[in-house]
Amino acid sequence: MPRSVPLRRTLATLLLSCALLVGTTACGDSGDSAGGNATSASAAADPSAASPSASAAEQRLAKTRFVANAGLAAGATYQWIVKPYRAGTFKKGAEGRRFALVKAGLAGGFAYNRLRAAAENAKGDPLLSKAVAPLTAGIESLKDLGTKLRKGEAGEGDVGAFESVIDSIKSAGEDAGAEVKDKVPSTSQLSG
């Protein structure tokens, strides 16, 4: 019977791999021709077929995605940029400085990416779109701050820029009925 244990492990690994593959395929972008379903394809082909309830559902989905992306950006910014900066971890000679700077650099890039995604999501809701549109220049100004953080060249103004943009996004979301709460991403989400 010693052979059944490796066989069970192999079977479990195979099943888990298949489940992950199916899960990631199901979560993929349905906008491509291979992954889209027949209903969305027919609705895209015939605009008169789209119902008002479909538009409302798309707006709710846009708000949900906005809240998720903005929340991840806010959580990453606070956890790995603002909090260590205020604790003095970025100062020369501080214990754990190098690791904190690398994480801050990754968090900066991640936050910029999620903020851009949130701004794109906001376009799906008219009220949210109007609230977020003026903030796109602020989001773009964060583009190179991740690299600056990682190199240890960021100062109080750079950290303040992240805080300011995050606060503006939260405020715009709240004004449009999409309250953003900080959601700290895992370190694996930051790197990949």
Side-chain angles (χ1 to χ4, degrees), residues 17-30 32 34-36:
S17 298
C18 289
L20 287 172
L21 180 64
V22 169
T24 57
T25 304
C27 293
D29 184 3
S30 62
D32 63 349

Side-chain angles (χ1 to χ4, degrees), residues 86-170:
R86 288 184 181 157
T89 312
F90 295 164
K91 292 181 181 174
K92 291 187 183 203
E95 187 176 328
R97 178 179 187 256
R98 184 178 298 167
F99 187 63
L101 288 174
V102 169
K103 282 171 85 174
L106 289 172
F110 177 83
Y112 170 72
N113 184 334
R114 293 298 86 211
L115 286 172
R116 285 194 53 208
E120 190 64 32
N121 298 141
K123 292 178 183 176
D125 181 72
L127 186 59
L128 195 55
S129 179
K130 287 178 187 174
V132 174
L135 304 175
T136 55
I139 293 170
E140 286 303 314
S141 72
L142 302 177
K143 186 175 187 176
D144 296 324
L145 285 183
T147 305
K148 205 172 177 182
L149 283 164
R150 190 176 18 161
K151 291 180 178 180
E153 300 169 353
E156 188 172 338
D158 298 317
V159 173
F162 264 107
E163 276 188 296
S164 175
V165 170
I166 294 292
D167 289 343
S168 298
I169 288 287
K170 284 181 168 182

Side-chain angles (χ1 to χ4, degrees), residues 28-55:
D29 184 3
S30 62
D32 63 349
S33 60
N37 59 22
T39 309
S40 64
S42 65
D46 183 15
S48 64
S51 67
S53 63
S55 177

